[in-house]
Amino acid sequence: MATDRLSEALDLVEVRGVLAGGIAARDGWWSRAQLSDPVKFFALVSGRARLTTDGSDEPVDLVAGDVAILTGRSWAAFEAGAEPRQEVQPETDFSTDRFASADRDTDDIVIGGSVSLNGAGSTLLLETLPPLAHIRSAGDDGDRLLAALLRLFDEATAQRPGSAFAVQQHAQIFLLELLRSYVDQSALPSSWLRLLVDERLRPALDLLHGCPGRPWGLEELARAAAMSRTTFAERFRQAAGVPPLTYLGRWRMLLAQRALRDGDAGVAALAEALGYGSESAFSTAFKRVVGESPLRYRARVRQNVTEYVRTQTP
């Protein structure tokens, strides 16, 4: 079975969908909220609604199954139905009577959440997404996206045993379908996501990801992709936004961060495995990209995990 490079990358950047709350309303209504998360999503489970946000020239009309991804926005507002409209406050508890009694045939139902990533993932995703992306529920991908959305909403509102765990899993599937639909519907800018879905470049990408510690040369990578050096270098830069060897350096840093978070390998062994001539060269490269030394990074992220576990323990 071929290695799934998109899944590999999403695992490295620890992408997670986090469901935060929603609105269930009918007739004329409006709502506005301040945003603090770098990447937010709003999905319309049923009905219709118009979304506006800062930095967007035109409002976006959403219908059932549509999703809007907001990147770096400070507020979002919705309105639906005829005037006069009543203000509706978003709810964070999906077990309320309002959600339990919501009728998808008559109500406008909006759910919202955030996309959680580690520091490296935030940089990668932010360079891929526009301030406002409108993903439409259309075609086969739209059907899968709507199905994932409905399963997520059903699990969040049903309050069955194990629902909290199920919501986490369904949020992941929903986020994956959302990214798939975004790739299929959008002209992607130069970014890691565009590179990962470029089939012409996949043979070269398989080499870089399969043996990241090897000193790859442009000629070898171009040959794997069945291109000339010039054509390969140009296509890779257009897809990734950076040259192949620059991308390789970034990929090595993602692997290094995961190894430092999850494993106990020494810095010297990690430097050798990732193709650096010395521990000093690796540490210098790591600090340039991440902003701190490998050992300081390991201590910080593990302390953060310890603190999180402590706060979640009754």
Side-chain angles (χ1 to χ4, degrees):
M1 180 177 178
T3 302
D4 182 352
R5 297 304 177 194
L6 179 57
S7 294
E8 179 184 41
L10 294 178
D11 181 61
L12 268 179
V13 301
E14 300 180 302
V15 65
R16 300 288 184 270
V18 181
L19 191 60
I23 293 169
R26 63 185 60 170
D27 302 321
W29 63 273
W30 68 274
S31 184
R32 178 182 170 117
Q34 297 299 118
L35 306 179
S36 57
D37 296 300
V39 184
K40 292 281 294 185
F41 68 82
F42 295 98
L44 206 67
V45 176
S46 64
R48 308 178 71 93
R50 173 167 290 185
L51 166 68
T52 55
T53 185
D54 56 315
S56 178
D57 295 331
E58 299 290 337
V60 174
D61 291 316
L62 303 175
V63 299
D66 283 7
V67 184
I69 306 177
L70 277 59
T71 306
R73 303 301 90 195
S74 63
W75 60 268
F78 289 88
E79 63 180 28
E83 296 184 356
R85 299 186 179 99
Q86 300 295 316
E87 182 178 8
V88 175
Q89 295 295 330
E91 299 185 59
T92 58
D93 185 356
F94 286 97
S95 66
T96 62
D97 291 340
R98 187 68 194 92
F99 281 113
S101 63
D103 185 345
R104 291 208 292 264
D105 291 329
T106 58
D107 287 2
D108 304 311
I109 303 175
V110 182
I111 64 172
S114 61
V115 180
S116 171
L117 310 101
N118 60 30
S122 295
T123 301
L124 291 175
L125 193 60
L126 289 175
E127 74 181 15
T128 303
L129 297 171
L132 171 59
H134 180 193
I135 294 88
R136 294 172 173 82
S137 177
D140 292 340
D141 289 324
D143 291 341
R144 289 196 298 269
L145 179 60
L146 177 57
L149 172 60
L150 294 179
R151 286 195 298 270
L152 174 60
F153 180 72
D154 176 68
E155 198 62 59
T157 56
Q159 301 299 304
R160 293 185 286 264
S163 61
F165 177 79
V167 165
Q168 293 175 1
Q169 309 311 308
H170 285 302
Q172 292 301 93
I173 298 300
F174 168 73
L175 183 57
L176 175 59
E177 293 295 353
L178 180 57
L179 288 174
R180 286 171 170 169
S181 296
Y182 173 69
V183 167
D184 289 341
Q185 296 181 22
S186 307
L188 297 176
S190 298
S191 62
W192 67 283
L193 189 55
R194 179 173 165 183
L195 174 65
L196 291 173
V197 299
D198 190 320
E199 288 300 319
R200 288 285 309 279
L201 294 173
R202 181 177 181 127
L205 197 63
D206 284 343
L207 294 181
L208 295 175
H209 284 207
C211 296
R214 181 171 171 176
W216 293 105
L218 192 60
E219 183 72 37
E220 199 171 8
L221 296 171
R223 190 183 312 117
M227 300 179 193
S228 69
R229 282 178 47 133
T230 301
T231 300
F232 171 75
E234 181 178 356
R235 186 180 181 104
F236 197 102
R237 182 187 285 272
Q238 288 178 347
V242 296
L245 299 186
T246 301
Y247 173 82
L248 175 59
R250 293 182 177 181
W251 184 251
R252 287 171 171 173
M253 289 299 104
L254 285 174
L255 295 173
Q257 289 175 70
R258 180 175 64 179
L260 290 166
R261 286 194 312 268
D262 303 337
D264 295 313
V267 175
L270 192 55
E272 182 179 0
L274 292 176
Y276 289 89
S278 66
E279 180 178 339
S280 175
F282 167 70
S283 296
T284 298
F286 188 93
K287 187 172 184 178
R288 182 174 62 250
V289 172
V290 181
E292 57 189 339
S293 71
L295 291 179
R296 183 175 293 276
Y297 172 83
R298 170 178 274 167
R300 178 178 60 80
V301 294
R302 292 191 175 183
Q303 179 63 29
N304 289 344
V305 170
T306 300
E307 287 297 318
Y308 176 78
V309 171
R310 182 183 62 81
T311 60
Q312 299 301 308
T313 303

